[in-house]
Amino acid sequence: MRFNFGFFMREALKNIRTNFLMSITAATTTFICILVLGVGLLVSSHVEGIVGSVQQDVNIEWYLSSDMSQEEIDEMEGEISSFPEVENVSYTSEEEALTRFQDTFSDNPEVYQDISEGVLPASLEIQLNEAEDADAVAGKLEDAGAAPADLNYPQQTIERLNAATGYMIWGLYGATALFLVSSILLISNAIRLSIFARRNEIEVMKLVGASDSFVRTPFVFEGLLQSIVGAGLAALVVVWLNYLFVDWSQSALPYVPVASGAVDTILILLALVIVGVAIGVIGSFVSVTRFLRV
Amino acid sequence: MIRFDNVTKIFGRDTAALEEINLEVEDGEFIFLVGQSGSGKSTMVRLILKEYEPTAGAIHVRGTRLSAIPRRKIPRHRRSIGCVFQDFKLLPNKTAAENVAYAMEVTGQKRRQIRTKVPQILELVGLTEKMGKMPDQLSGGEQQRVSIARAFVSQPPILIADEPTGNLDPDTSVGIMQLLHRINRIGTTVVVATHDKEMVDVMRKRVVALDNGRIVRDRVKGAYLDEV
């Protein structure tokens, strides 16, 4: 028998119209599940993005003693930049350190009005490729003549951050996976209920001589349409929330490096719609098949 | 056309619904299966439709042994048998015409063909004016006519009716029986399971009486009781 797409689509649409409440229930369940799933993915990927950029920002500051000459400093800067772990070295003079300090506290001038040039030391700011190399590089700097007290780098912070964010990211992914499982159960249950309400219809269709696939296909199309609507709307809301969050974080949390590019919105959109539609279609297929044994 | 050879059907462990049934229904015959509720009429109907498998014995329909039909081919078997039920079994979300059309759609017939055939068949059962009505807008007799139209629209060689007048008043029942008779005269083999005594007596057709799962009587021009 020829596969009559138009017929099955018309049947599916007619069924959705006559069982509107049930269709809305299934679509709403899909919407809510996919929305929460999407928000979970969004949070995970933003946290991952922020952690990644924090780790990249790790640098070592070497406060130079005032009796080093400019030539010595230049020589040292050249030597350090040749370390393989080091990405970049920049020199901050005493004047620049003061200017920067004043800029930071420009709202409270009383903090810096008594500080004169020379109080804040000049420094070398050493940016690292990998946060884990901080200890090794610090060791090399000490060999080169730096006093340990003059080196400032957040080694402990990095270690803690690494551990905490590791757990956090795994936790987020675990929660997302759990939610995926419960979404599958919830959505397929909603579908099963709507099909259960129509099991007599399925029996009649079978008695009139309809083949399994002839009975099943309109139901699967229904599941497809419901889940496209539910998951599609949810995916759009997730993308919109992402946009709002990135926008808000840029003004409210300027020092937190929220990357708008950390989340590939198109990819998330696609993944959510695919997950939703797959659950809808497979759920309908399985649920109808249960009632086909007449 | 339909043949039962020593057919026994046992439900559960030891509830015998049918015991050693032997019956042959000829091509083009009109036959009543009569008996009280629980005598095994419906079980016979369901065996013919291959809704159940017999516990023992063999059933042949149009020369094919039913136990040899794989599950995949059951729909095709059922399409060769038009079916009418006591509770009509119409699809509630479809109009009278759509219900009839569905039986043609399952066989993959063309829309154009469906559009010409459905009004014809509804005219035959006298429902031309009610084509667009939903089942819940029709009376019991009208619903049963729709279900007969659906059963007959693909012109199956066999038409089986299980208590077709069970939910209808006597006047309406006469109309339904006349309709079945007309379908039989076109050449369709008609099997009617019923306990509607008056109908059986009026029609003077072959009557097979069942009692407790056994055939107790088989008369060519019989009545429901046939004491004469």
Side-chain angles (χ1 to χ4, degrees):
Chain A
M1 204 194 327
R2 198 169 57 92
F3 185 81
N4 193 335
F5 183 85
F7 171 77
F8 290 128
M9 214 20 128
R10 275 197 306 279
E11 286 289 296
L13 287 172
K14 217 187 297 168
N15 288 342
I16 289 177
R17 221 173 34 233
T18 44
N19 303 297
F20 195 65
L21 215 61
M22 279 296 191
S23 304
I24 289 290
T25 310
T28 311
T29 312
T30 313
F31 173 78
I32 294 169
C33 289
I34 297 299
L35 183 62
V36 178
L37 195 65
V39 170
L41 277 178
L42 207 61
V43 173
S44 316
S45 65
H46 271 302
V47 167
E48 209 173 30
I50 291 168
V51 167
S53 64
V54 167
Q55 285 177 337
Q56 265 169 12
D57 270 1
V58 168
N59 51 25
I60 300 177
E61 271 181 297
W62 180 5
Y63 300 114
L64 303 168
S65 69
S66 50
D67 49 68
M68 277 175 92
S69 69
Q70 192 61 43
E71 288 92 66
E72 283 175 309
I73 295 170
D74 288 346
E75 197 182 315
M76 195 56 73
E77 194 180 337
E79 193 187 328
I80 297 168
S81 39
S82 67
F83 292 173
E85 302 91 338
V86 171
E87 189 185 328
N88 180 30
V89 183
S90 62
Y91 172 68
T92 307
S93 68
E94 289 178 6
E95 303 93 81
E96 281 163 347
L98 184 61
T99 319
R100 204 190 279 177
F101 188 74
Q102 286 170 344
D103 282 348
T104 311
F105 294 98
S106 58
D107 290 341
N108 321 54
E110 64 273 14
V111 173
Y112 61 82
Q113 60 194 4
D114 292 334
I115 294 176
S116 58
E117 207 172 290
V119 172
L120 295 171
S123 61
L124 283 175
E125 206 167 282
I126 301 144
Q127 280 204 335
L128 304 178
N129 289 323
E130 300 289 341
E132 299 96 72
D133 297 334
D135 263 339
V137 175
K140 286 187 187 178
L141 292 176
E142 283 168 32
D143 293 344
D150 287 341
L151 294 176
N152 177 24
Y153 64 98
Q155 179 61 27
Q156 277 188 316
T157 320
I158 292 164
E159 279 167 0
R160 275 196 212 132
L161 189 69
N162 266 338
T165 54
Y167 290 133
M168 193 163 153
I169 288 172
W170 280 114
L172 277 170
Y173 280 129
T176 310
L178 268 182
F179 202 80
L180 180 66
V181 172
S182 56
S183 298
I184 292 173
L185 294 177
L186 272 172
I187 295 172
S188 53
N189 197 47
I191 293 170
R192 190 182 310 161
L193 272 178
S194 81
I195 290 177
F196 183 76
R198 286 157 63 193
R199 67 195 180 286
N200 291 333
E201 244 176 276
I202 295 174
E203 189 199 338
V204 173
M205 291 169 175
K206 287 297 308 268
L207 287 176
V208 174
S211 63
D212 287 359
S213 65
F214 193 87
V215 175
R216 195 193 283 131
T217 310
F219 283 95
V220 173
F221 276 32
E222 256 182 88
L224 179 75
L225 291 174
Q226 286 161 0
S227 54
I228 285 179
V229 171
L233 281 178
L236 288 178
V237 171
V238 168
V239 169
W240 177 65
L241 285 177
N242 180 46
Y243 168 78
L244 283 189
F245 174 67
V246 170
D247 203 44
W248 169 79
S249 67
Q250 272 160 3
S251 55
L253 311 162
Y255 46 87
V256 177
V258 172
S260 52
V263 177
D264 195 334
T265 48
I266 299 290
L267 212 67
I268 283 216
L269 202 104
L270 269 179
L272 290 179
V273 172
I274 288 172
V275 167
V277 168
I279 298 174
V281 168
I282 296 170
S284 307
F285 191 95
V286 172
S287 307
V288 184
T289 305
R290 279 171 167 241
F291 297 111
L292 283 177
R293 292 211 160 262
V294 176
Chain B
M1 184 64 32
I2 302 172
R3 205 173 82 229
F4 280 64
D5 293 315
N6 280 315
V7 172
T8 298
K9 175 67 186 173
I10 296 171
F11 288 108
R13 196 165 292 172
D14 50 8
T15 317
L18 291 175
E19 278 179 84
E20 292 181 20
I21 297 288
N22 284 292
L23 178 70
E24 175 130 27
V25 181
E26 298 293 334
D27 204 350
E29 235 183 328
F30 191 118
I31 164 177
F32 281 112
L33 292 175
V34 303
Q36 294 169 324
S37 306
S39 58
K41 308 185 298 283
S42 292
T43 307
M44 283 182 76
V45 169
R46 302 187 136 199
L47 283 168
I48 296 171
L49 286 173
K50 201 173 155 77
E51 273 187 71
Y52 300 150
E53 291 296 329
T55 312
I59 302 163
H60 288 80
V61 174
R62 299 169 71 216
T64 309
R65 193 186 159 115
L66 293 192
S67 54
I69 299 177
R71 204 182 110 70
R72 194 164 43 81
K73 297 238 170 102
I74 294 177
R76 207 169 65 185
H77 165 66
R78 287 190 186 152
R79 282 177 216 148
S80 70
I81 304 171
C83 231
V84 178
F85 304 93
Q86 179 172 8
D87 56 355
F88 323 130
K89 291 204 192 292
L90 297 177
L91 295 169
N93 297 328
K94 291 182 183 288
T95 63
E98 284 167 349
N99 263 287
V100 177
Y102 190 81
M104 296 180 78
E105 281 152 359
V106 301
T107 59
Q109 297 189 53
K110 300 227 163 55
R111 278 182 97 183
R112 193 157 42 86
Q113 217 174 338
I114 294 173
R115 254 178 295 190
T116 53
K117 195 76 183 290
V118 170
Q120 281 174 14
I121 206 89
L122 282 170
E123 198 192 337
L124 180 82
V125 300
L127 280 177
T128 306
E129 280 106 70
K130 313 263 173 143
M131 300 187 31
K133 295 270 195 250
M134 301 304 262
D136 57 9
Q137 298 172 304
L138 298 172
S139 71
E142 286 164 345
Q143 290 186 55
Q144 195 58 296
R145 283 164 188 275
V146 175
S147 113
I148 292 173
R150 178 181 65 185
F152 189 60
V153 70
S154 305
Q155 268 150 357
I158 302 169
L159 191 129
I160 294 184
D162 189 5
E163 300 282 6
T165 58
N167 281 347
L168 305 177
D169 60 67
D171 286 347
T172 317
S173 301
V174 172
I176 295 294
M177 280 301 169
Q178 281 170 344
L179 196 54
L180 292 174
H181 186 225
R182 218 150 82 206
I183 286 170
N184 172 246
R185 281 216 311 253
I186 306 171
T188 314
T189 308
V190 176
V191 178
V192 181
T194 185
H195 57 242
D196 191 337
K197 180 175 178 305
E198 285 170 58
M199 283 309 119
V200 177
D201 290 349
V202 167
M203 300 286 286
R204 307 303 298 178
K205 296 286 183 187
R206 181 176 170 194
V207 176
V208 173
L210 285 161
D211 187 29
N212 266 325
R214 289 176 181 278
I215 293 180
V216 292
R217 192 154 40 82
D218 187 349
R219 295 286 148 78
V220 176
K221 278 194 185 204
Y224 193 92
L225 288 176
D226 233 13
E227 263 104 5
V228 193

